[in-house]
Amino acid sequence: MFSGTAVYALRAVVYLAEHSEERPVRVAEMAANLDVPQNYLAKILNELVHSEILNSTRGKHGGFQLAVRPDGLSLLAVVSPFDRIEQERRCLLGRSECSDHTPCAAHHRWKELGTQLAAFVQETTVADLLGN
């Protein structure tokens, strides 16, 4: 469903939503707590800064914080810099001619799943994942 990078991005954003209200969170802290390679996580976080999902602060007391409130941040916004989520999925079997009119054997079930995934990431916010 999601690439490993998009999953790490979601995990990092949820971690920040839980821990960064009072202070920026450093990459090393997140990497250790999320069990993600620090250099890889730093690249992901910088992409999220570039996408205006996170703010970063340099210096001794620097780190990362959400730039958007968790209840206003859809999962689609978080994963979009890393994965394309489309209503219409490409053919699961790789056929160039696969549509509602000329479906492959998996078309209708695969299309339904793609539609559900797109709706889930559009309608679910980071706040929904906090469990509060």
Side-chain angles (χ1 to χ4, degrees):
M1 293 284 168
F2 298 119
S3 68
T5 304
V7 170
Y8 286 156
L10 282 170
R11 290 174 57 201
V13 167
V14 169
Y15 185 88
L16 287 170
E18 294 172 330
H19 295 92
S20 72
E21 267 190 40
E22 293 89 31
R23 62 173 177 79
V25 178
R26 301 187 71 73
V27 177
E29 174 188 333
M30 275 189 283
N33 285 300
L34 297 174
D35 195 29
V36 178
Q38 185 172 331
N39 289 340
Y40 188 41
L41 182 59
K43 290 177 184 177
I44 293 168
L45 297 174
N46 284 319
E47 181 60 37
L48 292 171
V49 169
H50 180 72
S51 299
E52 300 180 351
I53 293 167
L54 302 181
N55 290 322
S56 72
T57 307
R58 293 180 179 254
K60 183 178 178 181
H61 301 289
F64 294 88
Q65 290 179 293
L66 292 180
V68 180
R69 291 175 39 105
D71 60 354
L73 182 56
S74 72
L75 301 189
L76 180 62
V78 177
V79 300
S80 288
F82 311 103
D83 288 352
R84 284 184 54 187
I85 306 295
E86 306 166 6
Q87 287 286 97
E88 298 293 324
R89 308 295 292 168
R90 281 183 242 121
C91 178
L92 179 64
L93 302 178
R95 296 185 179 165
S96 59
E97 301 263 341
C98 182
S99 67
D100 289 341
H101 300 293
T102 58
C104 72
H107 177 78
H108 295 292
R109 292 180 72 187
W110 185 242
K111 179 181 175 183
E112 182 181 328
L113 181 61
T115 302
Q116 290 173 352
L117 176 63
F120 175 77
V121 296
Q122 288 170 352
E123 297 167 5
T124 306
T125 67
V126 170
D128 294 330
L129 300 183
L130 295 178
N132 295 338

